[in-house]
Amino acid sequence: MTAGDSGTAPGGSGTAPGEGGTAAEGTGAGRTGVATATGPGTGRTGGPERTGTLPAWGLVAGAVSAVLVATAFGAAEAVPGIALPGPLVEYGLPVLRVLLDLAAVAVVGLSFLPRLLGFDDPDRTEPVMRRARPLAVSFAWAWAVLALLTIVFLTAELNAGAVPTPGMVAEYVNEVGAGQGLLFSAACALAYAGIGLLAVRFGEKVPAELRIVIALFGLLPIPVTGHAVESVWHDPIMISMELHVLGAAAWTGGLAVIALLVARDRELLARVLPGFSRLATLALIVVGVSGLVNGLATMALTPGVTLPGDLLASEYGLLVLVKVALTALLVPLAAQIRFRLLPRIERREGTAVAGWAAAEVTVMGMAYGIAVALTTAQIPPA
């Protein structure tokens, strides 16, 4: 993600309104972390299984809808004599890019899950991890495939009107930094899939730290696919962008995974949420500050751009303001979950946290969609 990035409430996650999670008792067969038994004595949610998927659908829907609207808003006008990419490339490329980001975010969140759960109670945590490990492998494969498809679509965008050939794609990768970065990212995703398969087979004998490092390493090339700033501030801005991308992925992925795999178990939720809250608070600071600085610095260092006037006079500036608005929208959601729901969750009480988590993750998805649009948005005033 780029300028003005936003994220989730510290510690937010979700079950259905009025529902709790699974009870602390019971470690036998059938206990998967999303049990459906009900009753005051069980502490288990009785809502439908689809309740736990609301944050995931919200994240994807928010991201795809936002990137499509932003792409339509910034669509280039036809100029006689200049070939433009067709609708498939014009709209398909940003959708691929945002889906690539979300796949990587899912892998990062699933990689952090073992550290969040801890290793002191395997009878309770292992059923959750048995679901998480295959998911991580699937999302890693999706990450790799989407990265390679994005290279093909970027080649088609550069060669408007032509169908990309293997030679054209190879030339693009050889000459353009974005292609090289995406190829490296795909290689990291494939390496993660291989390590992940070992984790599926051998469990936590495969260190979680190794999976976390590979996942985060695969994110590092992503900022090179956006705007390049040619100035003495290039390196500091790139470092800021890297911190921004890593912080946003850990924050968004962590929240989504907790909402999907942990939130229906009150005991696990009470253990995981305080630690994630601290991580999310740090991510909020890093992502918010770095995103705003990146966006304003990119504009300020672009010849012909003046601030603050061009914030409202350019596509890029308007999208930066949208990202700031999304960040502001997250503040009340964060406050509700952090200060009102988290204390009750720590007491193992049922809460209406699902709706808040779904809303929060949806806004985060919208921020990812706007971030992708920012990578190609016009910076100078039109």
Side-chain angles (χ1 to χ4, degrees), residues 269-359:
L269 189 61
R271 297 181 194 176
V272 168
L273 223 48
F276 180 74
S277 176
R278 291 188 291 272
L279 174 65
T281 301
L282 176 61
L284 168 63
I285 297 171
V286 172
V287 171
V289 173
S290 63
L292 185 59
V293 169
N294 294 341
L296 295 179
T298 299
M299 294 192 70
L301 296 172
T302 299
V305 173
T306 58
L307 295 176
D310 286 339
L311 280 171
L312 295 175
S314 68
E315 177 193 351
Y316 190 92
L318 289 172
L319 290 176
V320 169
L321 293 177
V322 171
K323 291 291 294 298
V324 173
L326 290 173
T327 303
L329 182 59
L330 284 168
V331 172
L333 299 175
Q336 170 69 12
I337 294 177
R338 178 67 181 88
F339 298 110
R340 297 193 63 182
L341 299 186
L342 182 57
R344 294 179 57 192
I345 290 171
E346 290 180 312
R347 296 194 297 268
R348 280 64 172 175
E349 297 177 5
T351 63
V353 72
W356 295 101

Side-chain angles (χ1 to χ4, degrees), residues 169-366:
V169 173
E171 182 180 2
Y172 178 85
V173 172
N174 185 55
E175 296 183 359
V176 182
Q180 296 163 13
L182 287 168
L183 187 61
F184 180 82
S185 185
C188 289
L190 290 175
Y192 184 99
I195 299 293
L197 287 173
L198 292 177
V200 171
R201 176 66 177 86
F202 299 105
E204 294 311 308
K205 292 179 181 179
V206 180
E209 292 81 2
L210 177 60
R211 286 170 275 163
I212 292 171
V213 168
I214 295 175
L216 294 179
F217 207 58
L219 290 176
L220 294 178
I222 289 180
V224 305
T225 62
H227 291 286
V229 177
E230 297 297 335
S231 79
V232 296
W233 298 102
H234 176 270
D235 289 344
I237 289 175
M238 286 304 300
I239 292 173
S240 177
M241 287 183 177
E242 301 287 7
L243 292 174
H244 186 79
V245 168
L246 296 178
W251 189 5
T252 308
L255 174 66
V257 167
I258 289 173
L260 288 171
L261 299 180
V262 179
R264 295 173 69 86
D265 187 321
R266 290 184 190 176
E267 180 64 29
L268 283 183
L269 189 61
R271 297 181 194 176
V272 168
L273 223 48
F276 180 74
S277 176
R278 291 188 291 272
L279 174 65
T281 301
L282 176 61
L284 168 63
I285 297 171
V286 172
V287 171
V289 173
S290 63
L292 185 59
V293 169
N294 294 341
L296 295 179
T298 299
M299 294 192 70
L301 296 172
T302 299
V305 173
T306 58
L307 295 176
D310 286 339
L311 280 171
L312 295 175
S314 68
E315 177 193 351
Y316 190 92
L318 289 172
L319 290 176
V320 169
L321 293 177
V322 171
K323 291 291 294 298
V324 173
L326 290 173
T327 303
L329 182 59
L330 284 168
V331 172
L333 299 175
Q336 170 69 12
I337 294 177
R338 178 67 181 88
F339 298 110
R340 297 193 63 182
L341 299 186
L342 182 57
R344 294 179 57 192
I345 290 171
E346 290 180 312
R347 296 194 297 268
R348 280 64 172 175
E349 297 177 5
T351 63
V353 72
W356 295 101
E360 194 173 355
V361 170
T362 300
V363 174
M364 295 167 65
M366 294 171 66

